[in-house]
Coordinates of all heavy atoms in Angstrom, one line a residue:
M1 N 0.8 -1.2 0.0 CA 0.0 0.0 0.0 C 0.9 1.2 0.0 O 1.9 1.3 0.8 CB -0.9 0.0 1.2 CG -1.6 1.3 1.4 SD -3.1 1.3 2.3 CE -4.3 0.7 1.2
P2 N 0.6 2.2 -0.8 CA 1.4 3.4 -0.9 C 1.3 4.4 0.2 O 2.0 5.4 0.3 CB 1.0 4.0 -2.2 CG -0.4 3.6 -2.4 CD -0.5 2.2 -1.8
I3 N 0.4 4.2 1.2 CA 0.2 5.1 2.4 C 1.0 4.4 3.5 O 0.7 3.3 3.9 CB -1.2 5.3 2.7 CG1 -2.0 5.9 1.6 CG2 -1.3 6.2 4.0 CD1 -1.5 7.3 1.1
I4 N 2.0 5.2 4.0 CA 2.8 4.7 5.1 C 2.4 5.5 6.4 O 2.3 6.7 6.4 CB 4.3 4.9 4.9 CG1 4.7 4.4 3.5 CG2 5.1 4.4 6.0 CD1 4.5 2.9 3.3
V5 N 2.2 4.8 7.5 CA 1.8 5.4 8.8 C 3.1 5.5 9.6 O 3.7 4.5 9.9 CB 0.7 4.6 9.5 CG1 0.4 5.2 10.8 CG2 -0.5 4.4 8.6
N6 N 3.5 6.7 9.9 CA 4.7 7.0 10.7 C 4.3 7.3 12.2 O 5.0 8.1 12.8 CB 5.5 8.1 10.1 CG 6.0 7.8 8.8 OD1 6.6 6.7 8.6 ND2 5.8 8.6 7.8
L7 N 3.3 6.6 12.7 CA 3.0 6.8 14.1 C 4.1 6.5 15.1 O 4.3 7.2 16.1 CB 1.7 6.0 14.5 CG 1.1 6.2 15.8 CD1 0.8 7.6 16.1 CD2 -0.2 5.3 16.0
D8 N 4.8 5.4 14.8 CA 5.9 5.0 15.7 C 7.0 6.0 15.7 O 7.6 6.3 16.8 CB 6.4 3.6 15.3 CG 6.8 3.5 13.8 OD1 6.5 4.4 13.0 OD2 7.6 2.6 13.5
V9 N 7.2 6.7 14.6 CA 8.2 7.8 14.6 C 7.8 9.0 15.5 O 8.6 9.4 16.3 CB 8.5 8.2 13.1 CG1 9.4 9.5 13.1 CG2 9.0 7.1 12.3
M10 N 6.5 9.4 15.3 CA 6.1 10.5 16.1 C 6.0 10.2 17.6 O 6.3 11.0 18.5 CB 4.7 11.0 15.7 CG 4.7 11.7 14.4 SD 5.9 13.1 14.3 CE 5.3 14.1 15.6
L11 N 5.7 8.9 17.9 CA 5.7 8.5 19.3 C 7.1 8.6 19.9 O 7.3 9.0 21.1 CB 5.1 7.1 19.5 CG 3.6 6.9 19.3 CD1 3.2 5.5 19.2 CD2 2.9 7.6 20.5
A12 N 8.0 8.1 19.2 CA 9.4 8.2 19.6 C 9.9 9.6 19.8 O 10.6 9.9 20.8 CB 10.3 7.4 18.7
R13 N 9.6 10.5 18.9 CA 10.0 11.9 18.9 C 9.4 12.6 20.2 O 10.0 13.5 20.8 CB 9.5 12.7 17.7 CG 10.4 12.3 16.5 CD 10.0 13.2 15.3 NE 10.8 12.8 14.1 CZ 10.4 13.1 12.9 NH1 9.4 13.9 12.6 NH2 11.2 12.7 11.9
R14 N 8.1 12.2 20.5 CA 7.5 12.8 21.6 C 7.7 12.0 22.9 O 7.2 12.4 24.0 CB 5.9 12.9 21.3 CG 5.6 13.6 20.1 CD 6.0 15.1 20.3 NE 5.4 15.9 19.2 CZ 6.2 16.4 18.2 NH1 7.4 16.2 18.2 NH2 5.6 17.1 17.2
K15 N 8.5 10.9 22.8 CA 8.8 10.1 24.0 C 7.5 9.7 24.7 O 7.3 9.8 25.9 CB 9.7 10.8 25.0 CG 11.1 11.1 24.4 CD 12.0 11.8 25.3 CE 13.4 11.8 24.8 NZ 13.8 12.9 24.0
M16 N 6.5 9.2 23.9 CA 5.2 8.8 24.4 C 5.0 7.3 24.0 O 5.4 6.9 22.9 CB 4.1 9.7 23.8 CG 2.7 9.3 24.3 SD 1.4 10.3 23.5 CE 1.5 11.8 24.5
T17 N 4.4 6.6 24.9 CA 4.1 5.2 24.6 C 2.8 5.1 23.9 O 1.9 6.0 23.9 CB 4.0 4.3 25.9 OG1 2.9 4.8 26.6 CG2 5.3 4.4 26.7
L18 N 2.5 4.0 23.2 CA 1.3 3.8 22.5 C 0.1 3.7 23.6 O -0.9 4.2 23.3 CB 1.3 2.4 21.7 CG 0.3 2.2 20.7 CD1 0.3 3.3 19.6 CD2 0.4 0.9 20.1
S19 N 0.4 3.2 24.7 CA -0.6 3.1 25.8 C -1.0 4.5 26.3 O -2.2 4.8 26.5 CB -0.1 2.3 27.0 OG 0.2 1.0 26.6
A20 N 0.0 5.4 26.5 CA -0.3 6.7 26.9 C -1.1 7.5 25.8 O -2.0 8.2 26.1 CB 1.0 7.5 27.2
L21 N -0.8 7.2 24.5 CA -1.5 7.9 23.5 C -3.0 7.4 23.4 O -3.9 8.2 23.3 CB -0.8 7.6 22.1 CG -1.5 8.3 20.9 CD1 -1.6 9.8 21.0 CD2 -0.9 7.9 19.6
A22 N -3.1 6.1 23.6 CA -4.5 5.5 23.6 C -5.3 6.1 24.7 O -6.5 6.4 24.5 CB -4.4 4.0 23.8
E23 N -4.7 6.3 25.8 CA -5.5 6.9 27.0 C -5.8 8.4 26.7 O -6.9 8.9 26.9 CB -4.6 6.8 28.2 CG -5.4 7.2 29.5 CD -4.6 6.9 30.8 OE1 -4.0 5.9 30.9 OE2 -4.6 7.8 31.6
A24 N -4.8 9.1 26.1 CA -5.0 10.5 25.9 C -6.1 10.8 24.8 O -6.8 11.8 24.9 CB -3.7 11.2 25.4
V25 N -6.1 9.9 23.8 CA -7.0 10.0 22.7 C -8.3 9.3 22.9 O -9.3 9.5 22.2 CB -6.3 9.6 21.4 CG1 -7.2 9.7 20.2 CG2 -5.1 10.4 21.2
N26 N -8.4 8.4 23.9 CA -9.6 7.6 24.2 C -9.9 6.7 23.1 O -11.0 6.6 22.6 CB -10.8 8.5 24.6 CG -11.9 7.7 25.3 OD1 -11.6 6.7 25.9 ND2 -13.1 8.1 25.2
I27 N -8.9 6.0 22.6 CA -9.0 5.0 21.6 C -8.4 3.7 22.2 O -7.4 3.7 22.9 CB -8.2 5.4 20.3 CG1 -8.8 6.6 19.7 CG2 -8.2 4.3 19.3 CD1 -8.0 7.2 18.6
T28 N -8.9 2.6 21.8 CA -8.4 1.3 22.3 C -7.0 1.1 21.8 O -6.6 1.5 20.7 CB -9.3 0.1 21.9 OG1 -9.1 -0.1 20.5 CG2 -10.7 0.2 22.3
L29 N -6.2 0.4 22.7 CA -4.8 0.1 22.3 C -4.8 -0.8 21.1 O -3.9 -0.6 20.2 CB -4.2 -0.6 23.5 CG -2.6 -0.9 23.4 CD1 -1.9 0.4 23.1 CD2 -2.1 -1.5 24.6
A30 N -5.7 -1.7 20.9 CA -5.8 -2.6 19.8 C -6.0 -1.8 18.5 O -5.3 -2.0 17.5 CB -7.0 -3.5 20.0
N31 N -6.9 -0.8 18.5 CA -7.1 0.0 17.3 C -5.9 0.9 16.9 O -5.5 1.0 15.8 CB -8.3 0.9 17.4 CG -9.6 0.1 17.3 OD1 -9.6 -0.9 16.7 ND2 -10.7 0.6 17.8
L32 N -5.2 1.4 18.0 CA -4.0 2.1 17.7 C -2.9 1.3 17.1 O -2.1 1.7 16.3 CB -3.5 2.9 18.9 CG -4.0 4.3 19.2 CD1 -3.5 4.9 20.4 CD2 -3.8 5.2 18.0
S33 N -2.8 0.1 17.7 CA -1.8 -0.9 17.2 C -2.0 -1.2 15.7 O -1.1 -1.4 15.0 CB -1.9 -2.2 18.0 OG -1.4 -1.9 19.3
I34 N -3.3 -1.4 15.3 CA -3.6 -1.6 13.9 C -3.1 -0.5 13.0 O -2.5 -0.7 12.0 CB -5.1 -2.0 13.8 CG1 -5.5 -3.3 14.4 CG2 -5.5 -1.9 12.3 CD1 -7.0 -3.6 14.5
L35 N -3.4 0.7 13.5 CA -3.0 1.9 12.8 C -1.5 2.0 12.7 O -0.9 2.2 11.6 CB -3.6 3.2 13.4 CG -3.3 4.5 12.7 CD1 -3.8 4.5 11.3 CD2 -3.8 5.6 13.6
K36 N -0.8 1.8 13.8 CA 0.6 1.8 13.9 C 1.3 0.8 13.0 O 2.3 1.1 12.3 CB 1.1 1.6 15.3 CG 2.6 1.7 15.5 CD 3.0 1.5 17.0 CE 4.5 1.3 17.1 NZ 4.9 0.5 18.2
S37 N 0.7 -0.3 12.9 CA 1.3 -1.4 12.1 C 1.1 -1.2 10.6 O 1.7 -1.9 9.7 CB 0.7 -2.8 12.5 OG -0.6 -2.9 12.1
G38 N 0.2 -0.2 10.2 CA -0.1 0.0 8.8 C -1.1 -0.9 8.2 O -1.3 -0.9 7.0
K39 N -1.8 -1.7 9.1 CA -2.8 -2.6 8.6 C -4.2 -2.0 8.6 O -5.1 -2.7 8.1 CB -2.8 -3.9 9.6 CG -1.5 -4.7 9.4 CD -1.5 -5.9 10.2 CE -0.2 -6.6 10.1 NZ -0.1 -7.8 10.8
A40 N -4.3 -0.7 9.1 CA -5.7 -0.1 9.0 C -6.1 0.2 7.6 O -5.3 0.6 6.8 CB -5.6 1.2 9.8
K41 N -7.3 0.0 7.3 CA -7.8 0.3 6.0 C -8.4 1.7 5.9 O -8.5 2.2 4.8 CB -9.0 -0.7 5.6 CG -8.6 -2.1 5.6 CD -7.7 -2.4 4.4 CE -7.3 -3.9 4.4 NZ -6.3 -4.2 3.4
A42 N -8.7 2.3 7.0 CA -9.2 3.6 7.0 C -8.9 4.3 8.4 O -8.6 3.5 9.4 CB -10.7 3.7 6.8
V43 N -9.0 5.6 8.5 CA -8.9 6.3 9.7 C -9.9 7.5 9.7 O -9.9 8.2 8.6 CB -7.4 6.8 10.1 CG1 -6.9 7.7 9.1 CG2 -7.4 7.3 11.5
R44 N -10.6 7.7 10.7 CA -11.6 8.8 10.7 C -10.8 10.1 11.0 O -9.8 10.1 11.7 CB -12.6 8.6 11.9 CG -13.5 7.5 11.7 CD -14.4 7.3 12.9 NE -15.2 6.1 12.8 CZ -16.4 6.0 13.1 NH1 -17.1 7.0 13.5 NH2 -17.0 4.8 12.9
F45 N -11.3 11.1 10.3 CA -10.7 12.4 10.5 C -10.7 12.9 11.9 O -9.7 13.5 12.5 CB -11.3 13.5 9.6 CG -10.9 13.5 8.2 CD1 -11.8 14.0 7.2 CD2 -9.8 12.8 7.8 CE1 -11.5 13.9 5.9 CE2 -9.4 12.8 6.4 CZ -10.3 13.3 5.5
S46 N -11.7 12.5 12.7 CA -11.8 12.9 14.1 C -10.7 12.2 14.9 O -10.1 12.8 15.8 CB -13.1 12.6 14.7 OG -13.5 11.2 14.5
T47 N -10.4 10.9 14.6 CA -9.4 10.2 15.2 C -8.0 10.7 14.8 O -7.2 11.0 15.7 CB -9.4 8.7 14.8 OG1 -10.7 8.2 15.1 CG2 -8.3 7.9 15.4
L48 N -7.8 11.1 13.6 CA -6.6 11.7 13.1 C -6.3 13.0 13.8 O -5.2 13.3 14.3 CB -6.6 11.8 11.6 CG -5.3 12.4 11.0 CD1 -4.1 11.4 11.2 CD2 -5.5 12.4 9.5
A49 N -7.4 13.8 13.9 CA -7.3 15.1 14.6 C -6.9 15.0 16.1 O -6.1 15.7 16.6 CB -8.6 15.9 14.4
A50 N -7.5 14.0 16.7 CA -7.2 13.7 18.2 C -5.8 13.3 18.4 O -5.1 13.7 19.3 CB -8.2 12.7 18.7
I51 N -5.3 12.4 17.5 CA -3.9 11.9 17.5 C -2.9 13.1 17.3 O -2.0 13.3 18.0 CB -3.6 10.8 16.5 CG1 -4.4 9.6 17.0 CG2 -2.2 10.5 16.5 CD1 -4.4 8.4 15.9
C52 N -3.3 13.9 16.3 CA -2.4 15.1 16.0 C -2.4 16.0 17.2 O -1.3 16.6 17.5 CB -2.9 15.8 14.8 SG -2.5 14.9 13.3
Q53 N -3.5 16.3 17.9 CA -3.5 17.2 19.0 C -2.7 16.6 20.2 O -1.9 17.3 20.8 CB -5.0 17.4 19.5 CG -5.1 18.4 20.6 CD -6.5 18.7 20.9 OE1 -7.5 18.4 20.1 NE2 -6.8 19.4 21.9
A54 N -2.9 15.3 20.5 CA -2.1 14.7 21.5 C -0.6 14.7 21.3 O 0.2 14.8 22.2 CB -2.6 13.3 21.8
L55 N -0.2 14.5 20.0 CA 1.2 14.4 19.6 C 1.8 15.8 19.2 O 3.0 15.9 18.9 CB 1.4 13.4 18.5 CG 1.2 11.9 18.9 CD1 1.3 11.0 17.7 CD2 2.1 11.5 20.0
E56 N 0.9 16.8 19.1 CA 1.3 18.1 18.7 C 2.0 18.1 17.4 O 3.1 18.5 17.2 CB 2.2 18.8 19.7 CG 1.4 19.1 21.1 CD 2.3 19.7 22.1 OE1 3.5 19.9 21.9 OE2 1.8 19.9 23.2
C57 N 1.3 17.5 16.4 CA 1.9 17.4 15.0 C 0.8 17.6 14.0 O -0.4 17.9 14.3 CB 2.5 16.0 14.9 SG 1.3 14.6 14.9
Q58 N 1.1 17.5 12.8 CA 0.2 17.6 11.6 C 0.0 16.2 11.0 O 0.8 15.3 11.2 CB 0.9 18.5 10.5 CG 1.1 20.0 11.0 CD -0.2 20.7 11.3 OE1 -1.2 20.5 10.5 NE2 -0.4 21.4 12.4
P59 N -1.1 16.1 10.3 CA -1.4 14.8 9.7 C -0.3 14.3 8.8 O 0.0 13.1 8.7 CB -2.7 15.1 8.9 CG -3.4 16.2 9.6 CD -2.3 17.0 10.1
G60 N 0.4 15.3 8.1 CA 1.5 14.9 7.2 C 2.7 14.3 8.0 O 3.5 13.7 7.4
D61 N 2.7 14.6 9.3 CA 3.8 14.0 10.1 C 3.5 12.5 10.3 O 4.4 11.8 10.6 CB 3.9 14.7 11.5 CG 4.3 16.2 11.3 OD1 5.1 16.5 10.3 OD2 3.9 17.0 12.1
L62 N 2.3 12.1 10.3 CA 1.9 10.7 10.5 C 1.7 9.9 9.3 O 1.9 8.7 9.3 CB 0.5 10.8 11.3 CG 0.6 11.4 12.7 CD1 -0.9 11.5 13.2 CD2 1.5 10.7 13.6
L63 N 1.2 10.5 8.2 CA 1.0 9.8 7.0 C 1.9 10.2 5.9 O 2.1 11.4 5.7 CB -0.5 10.0 6.6 CG -1.6 9.7 7.6 CD1 -3.0 10.1 7.1 CD2 -1.6 8.2 7.9
E64 N 2.3 9.3 5.1 CA 3.2 9.5 4.0 C 2.7 8.7 2.8 O 2.3 7.6 2.9 CB 4.6 9.1 4.4 CG 5.7 9.2 3.4 CD 7.0 8.7 3.9 OE1 7.2 8.5 5.1 OE2 7.9 8.5 3.0
H65 N 2.8 9.4 1.6 CA 2.5 8.7 0.4 C 3.7 8.3 -0.4 O 4.5 9.1 -0.7 CB 1.6 9.6 -0.5 CG 1.2 9.0 -1.8 ND1 1.7 9.4 -3.0 CD2 0.3 7.9 -2.0 CE1 1.1 8.6 -3.9 NE2 0.3 7.7 -3.4
R66 N 3.9 7.0 -0.6 CA 5.0 6.4 -1.4 C 4.4 5.7 -2.5 O 4.0 4.6 -2.4 CB 5.8 5.5 -0.6 CG 6.7 6.2 0.5 CD 7.7 5.2 1.0 NE 8.2 5.7 2.3 CZ 8.7 5.0 3.2 NH1 8.8 3.7 3.1 NH2 9.2 5.5 4.3
P67 N 4.3 6.3 -3.7 CA 3.7 5.6 -4.9 C 4.4 4.4 -5.2 O 5.7 4.3 -5.1 CB 3.8 6.7 -6.0 CG 4.1 8.0 -5.3 CD 4.8 7.6 -4.1
D68 N 3.7 3.4 -5.6 CA 4.2 2.1 -6.1 C 4.0 2.0 -7.6 O 2.9 2.1 -8.0 CB 3.5 0.9 -5.4 CG 4.1 -0.4 -5.7 OD1 4.8 -0.5 -6.7 OD2 3.8 -1.4 -5.0
P69 N 5.1 1.9 -8.3 CA 5.0 1.9 -9.8 C 4.0 0.8 -10.3 O 3.4 1.0 -11.3 CB 6.4 1.6 -10.3 CG 7.3 2.1 -9.2 CD 6.5 1.9 -7.9
R70 N 3.9 -0.3 -9.6 CA 3.0 -1.3 -10.0 C 1.5 -0.9 -9.9 O 0.7 -1.3 -10.7 CB 3.2 -2.5 -9.1 CG 4.6 -3.2 -9.3 CD 4.8 -4.3 -8.3 NE 4.9 -3.7 -7.0 CZ 5.2 -4.3 -5.9 NH1 5.4 -5.6 -5.9 NH2 5.3 -3.7 -4.8
D71 N 1.2 0.0 -8.9 CA -0.1 0.5 -8.8 C -0.4 1.4 -10.0 O -1.6 1.4 -10.6 CB -0.3 1.4 -7.5 CG -0.3 0.5 -6.3 OD1 -0.5 -0.7 -6.4 OD2 0.0 1.1 -5.2
L72 N 0.5 2.2 -10.5 CA 0.3 3.1 -11.6 C 0.1 2.3 -12.9 O -0.7 2.6 -13.8 CB 1.5 4.0 -11.8 CG 1.7 5.0 -10.7 CD1 3.0 5.8 -10.9 CD2 0.5 5.9 -10.6
R73 N 0.9 1.2 -13.1 CA 0.7 0.4 -14.3 C -0.7 -0.2 -14.3 O -1.3 -0.3 -15.4 CB 1.7 -0.8 -14.3 CG 2.9 -0.4 -15.1 CD 3.9 -1.5 -15.3 NE 5.0 -1.3 -14.3 CZ 5.3 -2.2 -13.4 NH1 4.8 -3.4 -13.3 NH2 6.3 -1.9 -12.6
S74 N -1.2 -0.8 -13.2 CA -2.6 -1.4 -13.3 C -3.7 -0.3 -13.5 O -4.7 -0.7 -14.2 CB -2.8 -2.1 -12.0 OG -2.9 -1.2 -10.9
A75 N -3.5 0.9 -13.2 CA -4.5 1.9 -13.4 C -4.5 2.3 -14.9 O -5.5 2.7 -15.4 CB -4.2 3.2 -12.5
E76 N -3.3 2.2 -15.5 CA -3.2 2.6 -16.9 C -3.8 1.5 -17.9 O -4.2 1.8 -19.0 CB -1.8 2.8 -17.3 CG -1.2 4.1 -16.7 CD 0.3 4.2 -16.9 OE1 0.9 3.3 -17.5 OE2 0.9 5.2 -16.5
E77 N -3.9 0.3 -17.4 CA -4.3 -0.8 -18.3 C -5.8 -0.8 -18.5 O -6.6 -0.3 -17.9 CB -3.9 -2.1 -17.7 CG -2.3 -2.3 -17.8 CD -1.9 -3.5 -17.0 OE1 -2.7 -4.3 -16.5 OE2 -0.7 -3.7 -17.1

């Protein structure tokens, strides 16, 4: 998937644990773990906003787009 979640990077920069973030944002640890691992299929804007507020960052600090040339080829066909 061309969307990379850099939640672990921001947690390290803020010296915060995933458990502390889950408590601050009122999200289950399981759901944050899914997001952190990159296995989430979607994220609500309200959740993204809450995470950004807790980590004092921007959505672009958490999400990165890395195009995969294979994805582009299949769209052209």
